Amino acid sequence: MNALYILIAALGGYLLGSIPFGLVITNLAGLGDIRAIGSGNIGATNVLRTGRKDLALATLLLDAGKAGIAAAIFGFFLGTTAGLVAGAAAFAGHCFPVWLNFKGGKGVATFVGTVLVVAWPVGLAVIASWLITAAIFRISSLGALVGALAAPVAALVIGRADVAIMTGLLAVMIFWLHRANIGRILKGEEPRIGGGKKAQADGESTADET
């Protein structure tokens, strides 16, 4: 693989991933700076705290879509490896956007968007693992973490070592970005889905997953 192609894919993916859709959407809707409420995160979970489910859904889809588009475009024109690099770079751009002093989201939506494009069976395994875990334990962040772990395993099962390596590296980043959530999970303090306003208020400062 031409090193120039990899560099182009990495830069292009990062720039696409760094578009802060949560911030843009809430500003356009007249809700002000999303970083001034809740956790200060730009992802869909914090957008939901504005009370606008439609804006949260739009943010989720756009955050996933920008990564998927990056992987698809560069993968089509520059090859499979470039697509993987672009998807991973979009994840990095979302989590560490240069425009926002490298303070972005936690990357789960962009992770899912990337994986659905580069290996859709792996993407479906991630989503299924996330939903099943969240439904059983009623902890969304735990579902996200289990989904991240499921990705490299599923990739190996279908014989995609390249995807396993990429998703394994991104899973490590997801765990690091969720370290506060993991601490609360271990203490039994992580807010639960449907846990009521008090539980949400107690954990809203760092409970985001996206």
Side-chain angles (χ1 to χ4, degrees):
M1 170 60 66
N2 190 313
L4 179 59
Y5 287 176
I6 294 298
L7 180 60
I8 292 172
L11 180 59
Y14 177 84
L15 292 175
L16 278 172
S18 66
I19 300 173
F21 283 115
L23 179 63
V24 173
I25 287 173
T26 50
N27 269 309
L28 290 176
L31 300 176
D33 192 336
I34 188 63
R35 295 170 295 176
I37 72 167
S39 67
N41 194 285
I42 63 170
T45 304
N46 203 39
V47 173
L48 186 60
R49 293 193 177 102
T50 66
R52 293 287 301 273
K53 294 181 180 179
D54 56 336
L55 298 184
L57 178 59
T59 300
L60 181 68
L61 294 177
L62 287 169
D63 282 346
K66 64 187 180 183
I69 289 172
I73 290 176
F74 289 99
F76 180 79
F77 288 104
L78 302 181
T80 301
T81 300
L84 293 174
V85 170
F91 173 92
H94 177 75
C95 298
F96 311 104
V98 64
W99 329 111
L100 304 178
N101 295 318
F102 303 101
K103 295 179 181 179
K106 292 188 176 179
V108 177
T110 55
F111 177 78
V112 173
T114 298
V115 180
L116 279 173
V117 169
V118 300
W120 65 264
V122 178
L124 294 182
V126 171
I127 294 171
S129 300
W130 185 355
L131 294 177
I132 291 171
T133 303
I136 293 173
F137 295 98
R138 294 191 299 114
I139 302 177
S140 182
S141 59
L142 180 60
L145 293 169
V146 172
L149 284 177
V153 175
L156 288 174
V157 169
I158 67 170
R160 289 295 304 273
D162 54 346
V163 175
I165 292 171
M166 182 200 75
T167 55
L169 293 173
L170 296 189
V172 170
M173 291 183 66
I174 287 174
F175 269 71
W176 184 80
L177 291 167
H178 283 77
R179 59 196 182 281
N181 301 80
I182 293 171
R184 287 194 304 275
I185 290 171
L186 294 175
K187 295 177 182 178
E189 298 174 354
E190 181 74 342
R192 293 178 180 270
I193 299 171
K197 293 183 178 180
K198 182 180 185 302
Q200 292 174 12
D202 289 343
E204 74 172 2
S205 64
T206 52
D208 290 356
E209 290 83 58
T210 56

